[in-house]
Amino acid sequence: MSVSAGVREPYTLQRLLDVAVQVFTERGYDGTSFQHLSQASGLSKSSIYHHIEGKEQLLRLGLEQALDPLMATITEAEALGGPAIGRLEHLVRRNIEILTERLPYVTLLLNVHGNTETERWALEQRRAYNKAVAAVVQEAVDEGSLRADVDAKTTARLVFGMINSVREWYRPGRGTSPEKLADQVLGLLLDGIRAG
Amino acid sequence: MSVSAGVREPYTLQRLLDVAVQVFTERGYDGTSFQHLSQASGLSKSSIYHHIEGKEQLLRLGLEQALDPLMATITEAEALGGPAIGRLEHLVRRNIEILTERLPYVTLLLNVHGNTETERWALEQRRAYNKAVAAVVQEAVDEGSLRADVDAKTTARLVFGMINSVREWYRPGRGTSPEKLADQVLGLLLDGIRAG
């Protein structure tokens, strides 16, 4: 229960998680050892074990930081009711918000390949999310809000492919705000970039 | 000059490259040893050295398989002349063609982080490519083909973010053809998905 002598300041589980998610992304989950986590956090291995049961629990907690809010947006969109196009807009805006607010966690999620039980669980959640969004796209086509020639599955993939690519260049606090970014993305997706 | 006794059939440099690019993507370039390349290719280390000078040369050859045709499309687009919107369409179509035809090589390119000289060279090339595309987007805005509120740099990033995300789900020979995919992407980008 005591904190290791090598620790400079008290560590919380959240901070351990922040460090672990960074290391997982840099080295890959499989390539990360407890030695790496210990070096990066400044915590002894026994201190790390004081907070968590093992490496996979850290991965799960990290993935939940991205997945929990993302999955919640499906329920939020359902609760909104109204035309599907409005619910789709909500899904896109919230996704961009979550991505920009929780960049390291969403990056971890998007790098998951499915080698462990936890990674397969995360992939299942992502598939459920994509399916729910594709269903809203299809509803928006059926209600006449979206073009009839729109293929719901490919469109949902392309839309989130575009949104998720934002992680490659977006730096929180610099340049475009999340709100402006969401406006740009929605403008492009809904109305395209061709001059009227 | 002789081929190792362990080799089942003659190997060409191209096939060694195909294997190496796969291993680089799975393990990361830094995480790939000559031992890994030897195991994956069935070639002895000395046979590999018969074909190439070192690991970084394989990386460079692999990256060229993606970068050479991509960079050539900039010159192709210039040679086309005519309105910038037509040149932009050419760039998008050719990018999708190259991505789908050379998926493992483009994936390698998109995973580059800049730890070695070769990786930094590849990142520079990508930056030059993005800049050239952003310039064509800006020209298309200036000529009145694209909406005046379109920010060229962000738009170029979002457009190629969407296109590059295709690598995560596209499987050559299955489902949508590259031509149909290009039609869908261009339709979405230019005119959006909202019903007229």
Side-chain angles (χ1 to χ4, degrees), chain A residues 19-66:
Chain A
V19 170
V21 163
Q22 193 76 34
V23 180
F24 289 159
T25 294
E26 278 163 17
R27 296 186 168 271
Y29 175 70
D30 294 333
T32 301
S33 67
F34 254 75
Q35 184 63 31
H36 296 134
L37 293 177
S38 171
Q39 276 167 1
S41 65
L43 286 168
S44 69
K45 289 188 202 178
S46 65
S47 298
I48 297 178
Y49 273 117
H50 170 68
H51 288 292
I52 53 135
E53 283 162 29
K55 200 174 77 160
E56 194 156 355
Q57 196 193 353
L58 272 178
L59 178 65
R60 175 134 193 160
L61 290 171
L63 291 169
E64 282 173 355
Q65 299 265 330

Short mmCIF file of all heavy atoms in Angstrom, two decimals, chain A residues 19-66:
data_model
loop_
_atom_site.label_atom_id
_atom_site.label_comp_id
_atom_site.label_asym_id
_atom_site.label_seq_id
_atom_site.Cartn_x
_atom_site.Cartn_y
_atom_site.Cartn_z
N VAL A 19 0.05 7.94 -19.16
CA VAL A 19 1.40 7.52 -19.56
C VAL A 19 1.33 6.23 -20.36
O VAL A 19 1.96 6.10 -21.41
CB VAL A 19 2.30 7.35 -18.31
CG1 VAL A 19 3.62 6.68 -18.69
CG2 VAL A 19 2.56 8.70 -17.66
N ALA A 20 0.55 5.26 -19.86
CA ALA A 20 0.48 3.94 -20.51
C ALA A 20 -0.06 4.06 -21.93
O ALA A 20 0.47 3.44 -22.86
CB ALA A 20 -0.40 3.00 -19.68
N VAL A 21 -1.08 4.90 -22.12
CA VAL A 21 -1.70 5.06 -23.44
C VAL A 21 -0.69 5.64 -24.43
O VAL A 21 -0.60 5.22 -25.58
CB VAL A 21 -2.97 5.94 -23.32
CG1 VAL A 21 -3.41 6.46 -24.66
CG2 VAL A 21 -4.08 5.12 -22.67
N GLN A 22 0.12 6.57 -23.95
CA GLN A 22 1.19 7.15 -24.75
C GLN A 22 2.20 6.07 -25.17
O GLN A 22 2.56 5.97 -26.35
CB GLN A 22 1.91 8.22 -23.89
CG GLN A 22 2.84 9.13 -24.64
CD GLN A 22 2.08 10.17 -25.44
OE1 GLN A 22 1.01 10.63 -25.01
NE2 GLN A 22 2.59 10.52 -26.61
N VAL A 23 2.62 5.27 -24.22
CA VAL A 23 3.62 4.23 -24.49
C VAL A 23 3.05 3.16 -25.41
O VAL A 23 3.71 2.71 -26.35
CB VAL A 23 4.15 3.60 -23.17
CG1 VAL A 23 5.19 2.52 -23.46
CG2 VAL A 23 4.76 4.67 -22.27
N PHE A 24 1.79 2.77 -25.18
CA PHE A 24 1.15 1.78 -26.06
C PHE A 24 1.15 2.27 -27.51
O PHE A 24 1.39 1.52 -28.44
CB PHE A 24 -0.31 1.52 -25.64
CG PHE A 24 -0.46 0.75 -24.34
CD1 PHE A 24 -1.66 0.82 -23.62
CD2 PHE A 24 0.56 -0.05 -23.84
CE1 PHE A 24 -1.83 0.11 -22.44
CE2 PHE A 24 0.40 -0.75 -22.65
CZ PHE A 24 -0.80 -0.67 -21.96
N THR A 25 0.84 3.56 -27.69
CA THR A 25 0.76 4.11 -29.04
C THR A 25 2.14 4.19 -29.68
O THR A 25 2.30 3.89 -30.87
CB THR A 25 0.07 5.50 -29.01
OG1 THR A 25 -1.29 5.30 -28.61
CG2 THR A 25 0.10 6.17 -30.36
N GLU A 26 3.16 4.52 -28.88
CA GLU A 26 4.52 4.63 -29.44
C GLU A 26 5.12 3.26 -29.77
O GLU A 26 5.74 3.08 -30.81
CB GLU A 26 5.44 5.37 -28.47
CG GLU A 26 5.29 6.89 -28.56
CD GLU A 26 5.87 7.60 -27.35
OE1 GLU A 26 6.66 6.99 -26.61
OE2 GLU A 26 5.51 8.79 -27.14
N ARG A 27 4.95 2.31 -28.84
CA ARG A 27 5.63 1.02 -28.98
C ARG A 27 4.71 -0.09 -29.47
O ARG A 27 5.17 -1.20 -29.75
CB ARG A 27 6.17 0.55 -27.62
CG ARG A 27 7.23 1.43 -27.03
CD ARG A 27 7.80 0.80 -25.77
NE ARG A 27 9.00 1.51 -25.37
CZ ARG A 27 10.22 1.22 -25.78
NH1 ARG A 27 10.41 0.21 -26.59
NH2 ARG A 27 11.26 1.93 -25.38
N GLY A 28 3.43 0.17 -29.53
CA GLY A 28 2.47 -0.90 -29.77
C GLY A 28 2.20 -1.60 -28.45
O GLY A 28 3.10 -1.70 -27.60
N TYR A 29 0.99 -2.10 -28.25
CA TYR A 29 0.64 -2.77 -27.00
C TYR A 29 1.52 -4.00 -26.78
O TYR A 29 2.08 -4.19 -25.69
CB TYR A 29 -0.84 -3.18 -27.02
CG TYR A 29 -1.26 -3.97 -25.82
CD1 TYR A 29 -1.34 -3.38 -24.56
CD2 TYR A 29 -1.55 -5.33 -25.94
CE1 TYR A 29 -1.70 -4.12 -23.45
CE2 TYR A 29 -1.92 -6.07 -24.83
CZ TYR A 29 -1.99 -5.47 -23.59
OH TYR A 29 -2.34 -6.20 -22.49
N ASP A 30 1.68 -4.81 -27.82
CA ASP A 30 2.48 -6.04 -27.69
C ASP A 30 3.94 -5.73 -27.38
O ASP A 30 4.60 -6.49 -26.67
CB ASP A 30 2.41 -6.87 -28.99
CG ASP A 30 1.01 -7.41 -29.24
OD1 ASP A 30 0.27 -7.59 -28.25
OD2 ASP A 30 0.67 -7.64 -30.40
N GLY A 31 4.43 -4.61 -27.89
CA GLY A 31 5.83 -4.26 -27.69
C GLY A 31 6.11 -3.54 -26.38
O GLY A 31 7.23 -3.15 -26.10
N THR A 32 5.05 -3.32 -25.57
CA THR A 32 5.22 -2.60 -24.30
C THR A 32 5.39 -3.59 -23.15
O THR A 32 4.55 -4.47 -22.96
CB THR A 32 4.00 -1.69 -24.03
OG1 THR A 32 3.86 -0.75 -25.10
CG2 THR A 32 4.16 -0.94 -22.72
N SER A 33 6.46 -3.43 -22.38
CA SER A 33 6.69 -4.29 -21.21
C SER A 33 6.42 -3.47 -19.94
O SER A 33 6.33 -2.24 -19.99
CB SER A 33 8.13 -4.77 -21.19
OG SER A 33 8.99 -3.67 -20.98
N PHE A 34 6.30 -4.17 -18.80
CA PHE A 34 6.15 -3.45 -17.53
C PHE A 34 7.37 -2.57 -17.28
O PHE A 34 7.26 -1.52 -16.64
CB PHE A 34 5.92 -4.45 -16.39
CG PHE A 34 4.50 -4.44 -15.94
CD1 PHE A 34 3.51 -5.05 -16.71
CD2 PHE A 34 4.13 -3.76 -14.79
CE1 PHE A 34 2.18 -4.99 -16.32
CE2 PHE A 34 2.81 -3.70 -14.41
CZ PHE A 34 1.84 -4.32 -15.16
N GLN A 35 8.51 -3.02 -17.77
CA GLN A 35 9.74 -2.23 -17.66
C GLN A 35 9.54 -0.86 -18.34
O GLN A 35 9.89 0.18 -17.77
CB GLN A 35 10.88 -3.02 -18.33
CG GLN A 35 12.24 -2.38 -18.23
CD GLN A 35 12.70 -2.27 -16.78
OE1 GLN A 35 12.36 -3.09 -15.93
NE2 GLN A 35 13.48 -1.22 -16.49
N HIS A 36 8.97 -0.86 -19.56
CA HIS A 36 8.72 0.39 -20.27
C HIS A 36 7.75 1.29 -19.49
O HIS A 36 7.96 2.49 -19.39
CB HIS A 36 8.11 0.11 -21.66
CG HIS A 36 9.01 -0.63 -22.58
ND1 HIS A 36 8.59 -1.71 -23.33
CD2 HIS A 36 10.32 -0.47 -22.88
CE1 HIS A 36 9.60 -2.17 -24.06
NE2 HIS A 36 10.66 -1.43 -23.81
N LEU A 37 6.68 0.67 -18.96
CA LEU A 37 5.68 1.45 -18.21
C LEU A 37 6.31 2.04 -16.96
O LEU A 37 6.03 3.18 -16.58
CB LEU A 37 4.49 0.56 -17.84
CG LEU A 37 3.64 0.07 -19.02
CD1 LEU A 37 2.54 -0.86 -18.53
CD2 LEU A 37 3.04 1.24 -19.78
N SER A 38 7.18 1.27 -16.34
CA SER A 38 7.85 1.72 -15.13
C SER A 38 8.77 2.90 -15.45
O SER A 38 8.76 3.92 -14.76
CB SER A 38 8.63 0.54 -14.54
OG SER A 38 9.45 0.98 -13.49
N GLN A 39 9.54 2.77 -16.53
CA GLN A 39 10.44 3.86 -16.93
C GLN A 39 9.66 5.14 -17.26
O GLN A 39 10.01 6.22 -16.82
CB GLN A 39 11.26 3.45 -18.16
CG GLN A 39 12.50 2.65 -17.80
CD GLN A 39 13.13 1.98 -19.01
OE1 GLN A 39 12.63 2.13 -20.14
NE2 GLN A 39 14.20 1.24 -18.80
N ALA A 40 8.60 4.98 -18.05
CA ALA A 40 7.86 6.16 -18.53
C ALA A 40 7.10 6.85 -17.41
O ALA A 40 6.92 8.06 -17.43
CB ALA A 40 6.91 5.76 -19.65
N SER A 41 6.63 6.09 -16.42
CA SER A 41 5.82 6.68 -15.36
C SER A 41 6.66 7.09 -14.16
O SER A 41 6.19 7.87 -13.33
CB SER A 41 4.74 5.69 -14.91
OG SER A 41 5.35 4.55 -14.31
N GLY A 42 7.87 6.57 -14.05
CA GLY A 42 8.67 6.83 -12.87
C GLY A 42 8.21 6.04 -11.66
O GLY A 42 8.62 6.30 -10.53
N LEU A 43 7.30 5.09 -11.88
CA LEU A 43 6.78 4.23 -10.80
C LEU A 43 7.49 2.88 -10.84
O LEU A 43 7.79 2.38 -11.92
CB LEU A 43 5.29 3.99 -11.00
CG LEU A 43 4.32 5.12 -10.69
CD1 LEU A 43 2.94 4.77 -11.23
CD2 LEU A 43 4.25 5.36 -9.19
N SER A 44 7.71 2.30 -9.69
CA SER A 44 8.26 0.94 -9.66
C SER A 44 7.18 -0.03 -10.13
O SER A 44 5.99 0.29 -10.10
CB SER A 44 8.68 0.57 -8.24
OG SER A 44 7.53 0.45 -7.44
N LYS A 45 7.61 -1.20 -10.57
CA LYS A 45 6.63 -2.20 -11.02
C LYS A 45 5.63 -2.52 -9.91
O LYS A 45 4.45 -2.68 -10.17
CB LYS A 45 7.36 -3.48 -11.45
CG LYS A 45 8.14 -3.30 -12.75
CD LYS A 45 8.67 -4.63 -13.24
CE LYS A 45 9.86 -4.39 -14.18
NZ LYS A 45 10.46 -5.64 -14.66
N SER A 46 6.10 -2.59 -8.67
CA SER A 46 5.19 -2.95 -7.58
C SER A 46 4.16 -1.83 -7.34
O SER A 46 3.01 -2.10 -7.02
CB SER A 46 5.94 -3.30 -6.30
OG SER A 46 6.61 -2.16 -5.82
N SER A 47 4.56 -0.59 -7.55
CA SER A 47 3.59 0.51 -7.43
C SER A 47 2.54 0.44 -8.52
O SER A 47 1.37 0.72 -8.29
CB SER A 47 4.29 1.87 -7.54
OG SER A 47 5.21 2.03 -6.52
N ILE A 48 2.99 0.07 -9.73
CA ILE A 48 2.03 -0.06 -10.83
C ILE A 48 1.02 -1.15 -10.48
O ILE A 48 -0.19 -0.97 -10.62
CB ILE A 48 2.75 -0.36 -12.16
CG1 ILE A 48 3.67 0.82 -12.53
CG2 ILE A 48 1.74 -0.60 -13.28
CD1 ILE A 48 4.46 0.61 -13.81
N TYR A 49 1.53 -2.27 -9.94
CA TYR A 49 0.64 -3.38 -9.57
C TYR A 49 -0.29 -3.00 -8.41
O TYR A 49 -1.31 -3.64 -8.21
CB TYR A 49 1.45 -4.63 -9.21
CG TYR A 49 1.78 -5.47 -10.42
CD1 TYR A 49 3.10 -5.69 -10.81
CD2 TYR A 49 0.77 -6.05 -11.18
CE1 TYR A 49 3.41 -6.45 -11.92
CE2 TYR A 49 1.07 -6.82 -12.29
CZ TYR A 49 2.38 -7.02 -12.66
OH TYR A 49 2.67 -7.76 -13.76
N HIS A 50 0.09 -1.98 -7.69
CA HIS A 50 -0.79 -1.48 -6.62
C HIS A 50 -2.05 -0.86 -7.23
O HIS A 50 -3.14 -0.93 -6.66
CB HIS A 50 -0.02 -0.46 -5.78
CG HIS A 50 -0.87 0.29 -4.81
ND1 HIS A 50 -1.46 -0.30 -3.72
CD2 HIS A 50 -1.24 1.60 -4.79
CE1 HIS A 50 -2.15 0.61 -3.06
NE2 HIS A 50 -2.04 1.76 -3.68
N HIS A 51 -1.88 -0.27 -8.42
CA HIS A 51 -3.02 0.40 -9.07
C HIS A 51 -3.82 -0.52 -9.98
O HIS A 51 -5.01 -0.33 -10.16
CB HIS A 51 -2.53 1.60 -9.90
CG HIS A 51 -2.06 2.75 -9.08
ND1 HIS A 51 -2.91 3.50 -8.31
CD2 HIS A 51 -0.83 3.28 -8.87
CE1 HIS A 51 -2.24 4.44 -7.68
NE2 HIS A 51 -0.97 4.33 -8.00
N ILE A 52 -3.13 -1.45 -10.64
CA ILE A 52 -3.82 -2.27 -11.63
C ILE A 52 -3.38 -3.73 -11.56
O ILE A 52 -2.33 -4.04 -11.01
CB ILE A 52 -3.56 -1.77 -13.07
CG1 ILE A 52 -2.03 -1.65 -13.30
CG2 ILE A 52 -4.26 -0.48 -13.37
CD1 ILE A 52 -1.58 -2.22 -14.58
N GLU A 53 -4.20 -4.60 -12.15
CA GLU A 53 -3.92 -6.04 -12.10
C GLU A 53 -2.87 -6.45 -13.13
O GLU A 53 -2.13 -7.40 -12.93
CB GLU A 53 -5.20 -6.83 -12.37
CG GLU A 53 -6.14 -6.88 -11.17
CD GLU A 53 -7.55 -7.27 -11.58
OE1 GLU A 53 -7.70 -8.00 -12.59
OE2 GLU A 53 -8.49 -6.79 -10.94
N GLY A 54 -2.85 -5.77 -14.28
CA GLY A 54 -1.90 -6.15 -15.32
C GLY A 54 -2.01 -5.21 -16.51
O GLY A 54 -2.82 -4.28 -16.52
N LYS A 55 -1.19 -5.46 -17.51
CA LYS A 55 -1.10 -4.60 -18.69
C LYS A 55 -2.44 -4.52 -19.41
O LYS A 55 -2.84 -3.44 -19.87
CB LYS A 55 -0.02 -5.18 -19.62
CG LYS A 55 0.55 -4.21 -20.61
CD LYS A 55 1.73 -4.82 -21.39
CE LYS A 55 1.27 -5.78 -22.46
NZ LYS A 55 2.31 -6.03 -23.54
N GLU A 56 -3.12 -5.66 -19.53
CA GLU A 56 -4.36 -5.67 -20.30
C GLU A 56 -5.45 -4.83 -19.63
O GLU A 56 -6.30 -4.25 -20.31
CB GLU A 56 -4.85 -7.11 -20.54
CG GLU A 56 -5.94 -7.16 -21.61
CD GLU A 56 -6.05 -8.51 -22.31
OE1 GLU A 56 -5.22 -9.41 -22.05
OE2 GLU A 56 -6.99 -8.65 -23.12
N GLN A 57 -5.41 -4.74 -18.28
CA GLN A 57 -6.40 -3.88 -17.61
C GLN A 57 -6.16 -2.41 -17.97
O GLN A 57 -7.11 -1.65 -18.16
CB GLN A 57 -6.32 -4.07 -16.09
CG GLN A 57 -7.56 -3.52 -15.38
CD GLN A 57 -7.39 -3.40 -13.88
OE1 GLN A 57 -6.38 -3.83 -13.32
NE2 GLN A 57 -8.37 -2.79 -13.23
N LEU A 58 -4.89 -2.03 -18.07
CA LEU A 58 -4.56 -0.65 -18.48
C LEU A 58 -5.10 -0.39 -19.89
O LEU A 58 -5.63 0.69 -20.18
CB LEU A 58 -3.05 -0.44 -18.48
CG LEU A 58 -2.40 0.02 -17.18
CD1 LEU A 58 -0.89 0.13 -17.38
CD2 LEU A 58 -2.97 1.35 -16.72
N LEU A 59 -4.90 -1.37 -20.78
CA LEU A 59 -5.40 -1.22 -22.15
C LEU A 59 -6.92 -1.04 -22.14
O LEU A 59 -7.46 -0.14 -22.79
CB LEU A 59 -5.03 -2.46 -22.97
CG LEU A 59 -5.52 -2.48 -24.42
CD1 LEU A 59 -4.89 -1.37 -25.23
CD2 LEU A 59 -5.23 -3.84 -25.08
N ARG A 60 -7.60 -1.88 -21.36
CA ARG A 60 -9.06 -1.82 -21.30
C ARG A 60 -9.52 -0.45 -20.77
O ARG A 60 -10.40 0.19 -21.35
CB ARG A 60 -9.60 -2.94 -20.42
CG ARG A 60 -11.10 -2.86 -20.22
CD ARG A 60 -11.79 -4.17 -20.39
NE ARG A 60 -13.23 -3.96 -20.48
CZ ARG A 60 -14.07 -4.82 -21.01
NH1 ARG A 60 -13.63 -5.94 -21.53
NH2 ARG A 60 -15.35 -4.56 -21.05
N LEU A 61 -8.90 0.00 -19.68
CA LEU A 61 -9.27 1.30 -19.10
C LEU A 61 -9.01 2.42 -20.11
O LEU A 61 -9.81 3.35 -20.24
CB LEU A 61 -8.48 1.56 -17.82
CG LEU A 61 -8.87 0.67 -16.62
CD1 LEU A 61 -7.87 0.86 -15.48
CD2 LEU A 61 -10.29 0.98 -16.14
N GLY A 62 -7.91 2.32 -20.84
CA GLY A 62 -7.58 3.32 -21.86
C GLY A 62 -8.61 3.33 -22.97
O GLY A 62 -9.06 4.40 -23.39
N LEU A 63 -8.97 2.15 -23.45
CA LEU A 63 -9.94 2.06 -24.55
C LEU A 63 -11.32 2.55 -24.10
O LEU A 63 -12.04 3.17 -24.89
CB LEU A 63 -10.01 0.61 -25.06
CG LEU A 63 -8.75 0.13 -25.78
CD1 LEU A 63 -8.80 -1.38 -26.02
CD2 LEU A 63 -8.56 0.88 -27.10
N GLU A 64 -11.66 2.28 -22.83
CA GLU A 64 -12.96 2.75 -22.32
C GLU A 64 -13.06 4.28 -22.34
O GLU A 64 -14.14 4.83 -22.52
CB GLU A 64 -13.19 2.25 -20.89
CG GLU A 64 -13.64 0.79 -20.84
CD GLU A 64 -13.71 0.23 -19.42
OE1 GLU A 64 -13.31 0.95 -18.47
OE2 GLU A 64 -14.13 -0.94 -19.27
N GLN A 65 -11.92 4.94 -22.16
CA GLN A 65 -11.93 6.41 -22.16
C GLN A 65 -12.36 6.95 -23.53
O GLN A 65 -12.83 8.08 -23.64
CB GLN A 65 -10.54 6.97 -21.82
CG GLN A 65 -10.01 6.57 -20.46
CD GLN A 65 -10.29 7.61 -19.41
OE1 GLN A 65 -10.35 8.81 -19.71
NE2 GLN A 65 -10.49 7.18 -18.19
N ALA A 66 -12.16 6.17 -24.57
CA ALA A 66 -12.62 6.58 -25.90
C ALA A 66 -13.99 5.97 -26.20
O ALA A 66 -14.89 6.64 -26.71
CB ALA A 66 -11.61 6.15 -26.96
#
